[in-house]
Amino acid sequence: MKVLVPVKRVVDYNVKVRVKSDGTGVDIANVKMSMNPFDEIALEEATRLKEAGKVTEVVAVSAGVAQCQETLRTGMAIGADRGILIETAVELEPLGVAKLLKAVADKEQPQLIILGKQAIDDDSNQTGQMLAALLGWPQATFASKVELGDGKVTVTREVDGGLETVALQLPAIVTTDLRLNEPRYVTLPNIMKAKKKPLETVTPEALGVDVTPRLKTLKVTEPAKRSAGIKVPDVATLVSKLRSEAKVI
């Protein structure tokens, strides 16, 4: 059984993001880049399924600039058997990524695709759902538990009212939530082994996919800074300020 795991290269979650002075986007020059945390969880889950003997091959795929090879090598150090890079300098949108992943899925014929529920840079939470629609596969989003068996995957997913358990016939798509697992620490021996694993590079044109952007970013701004708080001498003053200044009561 083959599992496909899309991974995205994003600004590391520990980095404070800064907006460019001209408001055209986020400044990523000399900024630490890492694998999207939700995709890391997806890759960890695929690796655990392989270690449990339920999966025979894990393939990591990424779309973006040439530096995404580093992200794929990290993925192979975690447990992926090989990597596929769809190299392009175009700023990809969720629909474009979904079309690229569909083309890869048509070629690789995986029985399961596990990906993060969203990327921490754009927070779109769209790619998994769009990919399921393009492939015509069943989907389970926000997974907190995944079990394989008997030609189906059983997923416990997080919903507003608690937990929901669904059973999907394979092939299927699963998007991961934070509580699914805790990704392992990547050891140096595995990093060295990852350098020898195969990494294939293709282009959107070779896959027959048009990734021309459909959206235009007009302006990017930082959130407004919060004003400093004040101390009040007593409850009466607090109530007065809430009524007259904040106008919340």
Side-chain angles (χ1 to χ4, degrees):
M1 179 177 176
K2 183 188 295 186
V3 176
L4 194 69
V5 183
V7 296
K8 186 176 183 180
R9 179 177 181 262
V10 299
V11 176
D12 189 88
Y13 67 92
N14 286 314
V15 174
K16 179 176 173 56
V17 176
R18 289 182 170 82
V19 175
K20 292 180 180 178
S21 58
D22 58 2
T24 57
V26 173
D27 186 5
I28 59 172
N30 302 316
V31 171
K32 181 182 179 183
M33 307 293 284
S34 301
M35 184 186 299
N36 178 45
F38 290 103
D39 296 338
E40 196 173 356
I41 292 170
L43 194 52
E44 173 67 25
E45 190 65 21
T47 302
R48 292 186 184 187
L49 291 172
K50 181 185 174 186
E51 292 171 345
K54 298 180 180 179
V55 169
T56 55
E57 185 181 26
V58 177
V59 182
V61 56
S62 187
V65 295
Q67 289 87 338
C68 290
Q69 291 186 26
E70 301 169 10
T71 307
L72 287 171
R73 291 296 178 191
T74 300
M76 289 186 276
I78 292 174
D81 298 290
R82 56 190 175 91
I84 300 173
L85 171 61
I86 308 168
E87 188 173 347
T88 176
V90 176
E91 186 174 349
L92 297 171
E93 297 171 356
L95 181 58
V97 175
K99 289 180 177 179
L100 291 172
L101 293 177
K102 179 187 182 299
V104 173
D106 290 340
K107 177 183 176 183
E108 294 289 333
Q109 294 295 308
Q111 286 71 52
L112 182 65
I113 299 178
I114 307 179
L115 66 161
K117 69 172 184 177
Q118 66 193 73
I120 62 171
D121 52 1
D122 57 16
D123 281 328
S124 291
N125 182 21
Q126 295 175 341
T127 304
Q129 293 88 328
M130 288 177 170
L131 179 58
L134 292 172
L135 287 170
W137 291 7
Q139 61 174 309
T141 55
F142 317 133
S144 61
K145 186 177 181 181
V146 176
E147 296 176 299
L148 276 177
D150 300 326
K152 66 179 182 180
V153 55
T154 303
V155 178
T156 301
R157 57 188 302 268
E158 300 189 353
V159 295
D160 290 341
L163 299 176
E164 177 185 53
T165 301
V166 295
L168 313 176
Q169 291 293 327
L170 297 176
I173 290 176
V174 175
T175 71
T176 61
D177 214 331
L178 283 172
R179 280 157 288 279
L180 178 59
N181 61 52
E182 184 175 342
R184 68 193 65 190
Y185 177 77
V186 180
T187 62
L188 182 59
N190 285 335
I191 293 175
M192 300 306 294
K193 291 177 184 177
K195 293 182 178 180
K196 298 181 180 179
K197 293 183 179 180
L199 197 161
E200 177 187 358
T201 300
V202 296
T203 62
E205 292 75 20
L207 295 173
V209 177
D210 180 13
V211 292
T212 303
R214 297 176 175 223
L215 304 176
K216 181 180 180 181
T217 301
L218 300 179
K219 190 176 182 181
V220 178
T221 58
E222 292 186 4
K225 294 182 179 180
R226 296 178 61 181
S227 57
I230 61 171
K231 291 184 179 181
V232 294
D234 50 46
V235 175
T237 306
L238 173 61
V239 173
S240 175
K241 287 185 176 293
L242 289 176
R243 180 180 292 115
S244 61
E245 295 181 16
K247 299 186 184 301
V248 295
I249 60 174

